[in-house]
Amino acid sequence: MAGVFDIELHDGDSINQDESDDDIVENREEEYNRTTNINTILESDNLERVQLSEQNVNAGQEKTGPQDFELCKILGEGGYGKVFQVKKVTGKDKGSIFAMKVLRKASIIRNQKDTAHTKAERNILEAVKHPFIVNLMYAFQTGGKLYLILEYLCGGELFTYLDREGIFLEDTACFYLSEIILALQHLHNQGIIYRDLKPENILLDGEGHVKLTDFGLCKEHIEEGTVTHTFCGTIEYMAPEILTRSGHGKAVDWWSLGALMFDMLTGMPPFTGDDRRKTIEKILRGKLNLPLYLTPDARDLIRKLLKRQVSQRLGSGPEDAEQIMNHNFFEHINWQDVISRKLEPPFKPSLKSADDTSQFDEQFTATVPVDSPVESTLSESANMIFQGFTYVAPSVLEEMCAQPRIVNARSPRKGFLSTGSLHSLSSRSPDGHIRTTSHFHQHRHHVVGSNNIEDTEMADIGPLFNF
């Protein structure tokens, strides 16, 4: 499915000439009867008249809405909406468990950047399919809300495991880093920068494998050598070139990977301060202090990922992830086994069932799930901004199409049947943070947009998906 919100035709775009004969209509004048009276045709008793309705237009699509999902638990909540665990109560996948991200249009539309980030996340979730990236199953909207139905990742956040363990052994960190690297490599190959890598945005599935979530800060259409200037991300993991607004590209994700690796192996990101200004100062000018207990390969990889000069940073060249994958820290990794999910996860979530929510914060899961009513309705012109939001995953459509469909009609002709800003608002200020966790994680700072260092703090939605 091509552009969801925008369909653009660029100069030089080619059109596939290898068309099926079914798409070609030959106009043979000798076979066309110019004396045919149209009124006679319309008055004929042989015509079948059909009333157009939602039931017979685009009948091949599965039409979904809030009514098709039963609310089970709340998994997270924030300024833009909520994340629910839901059960599908209709259709071929009836009984399946999903995560439902609900966003209020009125909150998003107030800010142009928020609207752009919402569109970007929606487009990216549809376009990107990868073993280590969360799957979008459905998307739909009502007059006042947007709904994203994603696979339910019952393993919870990597943040939870890191917070519980304090630090990871290098073998454990190597496992998670290898899966994350392949996910980032896939995004980069699609011209997408992730820009918000941190333990809260890394979820685990039921087997313990990684899934990247929250694509609200991603930047699309970034080619080799091009840069963008948006000031966004979680400061402790932000690359220097984002902070200085000097223009950044895909290499910012490799800086964040280095900060994440340091966090896994030491229990803290490499540069932290009592407030945002001090943290930024340390990122730009502070000395990198590596614990002596790290192995030489781990120390070397962290140093090379946390190079302030982008051109010197590992992964900044055209080879991108390949440079990192070839580092000695990963010498025992078989990358084909990684992508095939053959490596044994270091932590296998202890789950009682497919709908188990034990890995999520009881502050949310113990609350009665209610999708609150919309207080205001957008105008027709405002709603046009979200035109094309609806989506059904190809896997769902394939399952539908696998079943034969019987059509009774007089005409022998065959019809054609057609199918977080949502920015990641996870403020880490003591007041904004809503979970009880380690001292450091209560003080992370998340910013988006604005040219002012004192960007407005944004409330944390909690686990699963941050808006």
Side-chain angles (χ1 to χ4, degrees):
M1 186 174 177
V4 179
F5 292 89
D6 307 292
I7 299 178
E8 300 180 7
L9 293 179
H10 303 283
D11 292 341
D13 283 355
S14 60
I15 297 176
N16 184 7
Q17 299 296 328
D18 186 19
E19 297 176 329
S20 166
D21 290 341
D22 292 339
D23 296 328
I24 300 173
V25 179
E26 296 183 3
N27 183 8
R28 299 177 180 174
E29 291 191 10
E30 65 273 14
E31 296 180 3
Y32 176 64
N33 185 354
R34 296 180 180 276
T35 63
T36 301
N37 189 310
I38 300 300
N39 291 328
T40 302
I41 294 176
L42 294 176
E43 294 170 1
S44 171
D45 293 334
N46 294 325
L47 287 180
E48 179 184 11
R49 290 169 172 78
V50 179
Q51 180 68 36
L52 296 181
S53 68
E54 191 177 78
Q55 283 66 44
N56 58 27
V57 176
N58 291 338
Q61 294 190 43
E62 178 173 350
K63 296 176 175 61
T64 55
Q67 71 282 354
D68 298 306
F69 298 89
E70 175 188 340
L71 302 182
C72 301
K73 300 277 188 178
I74 296 179
L75 301 175
E77 187 171 356
Y80 281 74
K82 298 178 181 178
V83 176
F84 297 94
Q85 182 200 66
V86 295
K87 179 187 292 186
K88 189 89 174 339
V89 295
T90 61
K92 298 291 183 182
D93 50 357
K94 180 179 179 180
S96 298
I97 302 296
F98 299 105
M100 182 170 77
K101 190 172 186 176
V102 186
L103 306 169
R104 290 188 290 272
K105 290 181 180 178
S107 299
I108 295 169
I109 206 171
R110 291 175 189 153
N111 186 295
Q112 187 175 358
K113 283 188 179 293
D114 292 352
T115 305
H117 286 279
T118 302
K119 293 180 179 182
E121 178 166 29
R122 165 62 183 76
N123 289 350
I124 290 166
L125 282 170
E126 178 192 359
V128 175
K129 304 300 175 187
H130 191 270
F132 305 129
I133 295 176
V134 66
N135 285 320
L136 175 67
M137 306 307 298
Y138 299 93
F140 49 85
Q141 60 181 304
T142 61
K145 292 183 179 181
L146 301 174
Y147 294 80
L148 295 173
I149 308 297
L150 305 127
E151 64 176 318
Y152 174 56
L153 299 172
C154 52
E157 298 176 3
L158 183 65
F159 169 85
T160 302
Y161 297 86
L162 181 55
D163 190 54
R164 185 175 64 203
E165 297 291 320
I167 62 173
F168 288 159
L169 297 175
E170 288 191 12
D171 286 348
T172 298
C174 186
F175 170 86
Y176 292 123
L177 292 169
S178 64
E179 293 192 339
I180 293 165
I181 287 168
L182 293 186
L184 292 175
Q185 180 187 44
H186 184 71
L187 291 174
H188 291 180
N189 288 342
Q190 304 297 315
I192 299 167
I193 311 174
Y194 186 53
R195 300 198 296 191
D196 201 18
L197 186 65
K198 58 183 178 181
E200 293 91 332
N201 285 347
I202 303 163
L203 269 68
L204 304 183
D205 63 16
E207 297 178 5
H209 290 282
V210 157
K211 290 275 188 173
L212 287 192
T213 66
D214 197 347
F215 293 85
L217 294 188
C218 286
K219 180 66 177 178
E220 303 173 278
H221 313 304
I222 298 295
E223 304 301 329
E224 186 66 36
T226 60
V227 296
T228 184
H229 294 81
T230 304
F231 182 63
C232 63
T234 302
I235 289 181
E236 286 79 5
Y237 297 90
M238 285 167 67
E241 60 268 32
I242 295 182
L243 296 172
T244 59
R245 298 172 177 81
S246 55
H248 62 269
K250 64 187 180 183
V252 299
D253 286 338
W254 302 131
W255 171 283
S256 297
L257 185 79
L260 176 64
M261 179 178 177
F262 189 100
D263 192 356
M264 288 180 178
L265 297 177
T266 71
M268 298 263 301
F271 305 105
T272 60
D274 294 333
D275 56 41
R276 287 199 293 178
R277 287 186 180 277
K278 292 179 181 178
T279 299
I280 291 172
E281 181 68 21
K282 287 188 177 182
I283 292 172
L284 296 179
R285 300 178 183 85
K287 181 181 178 181
L288 177 62
N289 295 310
L290 293 166
L292 295 176
Y293 63 78
L294 297 180
T295 63
D297 286 339
R299 292 162 64 90
D300 185 69
L301 178 56
I302 292 172
R303 281 198 191 97
K304 290 179 176 177
L305 290 172
L306 296 179
K307 290 289 186 182
R308 292 187 174 96
Q309 290 293 328
V310 178
S311 60
Q312 298 176 16
R313 190 177 307 155
L314 196 65
S316 64
E319 302 91 347
D320 194 45
E322 293 290 337
Q323 289 185 329
I324 302 167
M325 294 161 65
N326 291 329
H327 190 275
N328 283 343
F329 184 76
F330 299 106
E331 65 177 339
H332 301 299
I333 291 292
N334 182 318
W335 291 99
Q336 187 56 50
D337 286 347
V338 177
I339 194 67
S340 301
R341 294 165 53 96
K342 291 182 179 179
L343 300 187
E344 186 70 23
F347 300 114
K348 185 171 177 62
S350 178
L351 305 168
K352 296 180 180 178
S353 60
D355 62 351
D356 194 320
T357 59
S358 61
Q359 302 304 312
F360 296 95
D361 197 327
E362 288 187 6
Q363 177 177 350
F364 299 109
T365 58
T367 306
V368 177
V370 177
D371 187 10
S372 54
V374 178
E375 298 175 357
S376 58
T377 303
L378 298 184
S379 66
E380 184 176 348
S381 59
N383 254 315
M384 287 296 291
I385 293 174
F386 302 104
Q387 186 175 14
F389 191 82
T390 301
Y391 170 77
V392 178
S395 58
V396 176
L397 293 175
E398 287 169 7
E399 185 179 352
M400 292 167 58
C401 294
Q403 303 297 322
R405 182 171 178 268
I406 300 174
V407 179
N408 296 316
R410 297 183 196 174
S411 172
R413 296 183 183 274
K414 296 179 180 179
F416 179 74
L417 304 177
S418 57
T419 113
S421 115
L422 175 50
H423 41 243
S424 166
L425 301 188
S426 55
S427 159
R428 301 303 173 202
S429 67
D431 295 333
H433 196 63
I434 55 181
R435 288 179 293 163
T436 303
T437 55
S438 64
H439 174 77
F440 161 69
H441 291 293
Q442 289 181 320
H443 290 77
R444 290 195 188 167
H445 307 97
H446 194 100
V447 294
V448 180
S450 171
N451 290 324
N452 188 340
I453 287 289
E454 299 301 330
D455 291 345
T456 303
E457 292 281 0
M458 294 167 284
D460 183 2
I461 189 172
L464 189 59
F465 301 102
N466 299 318
F467 323 171

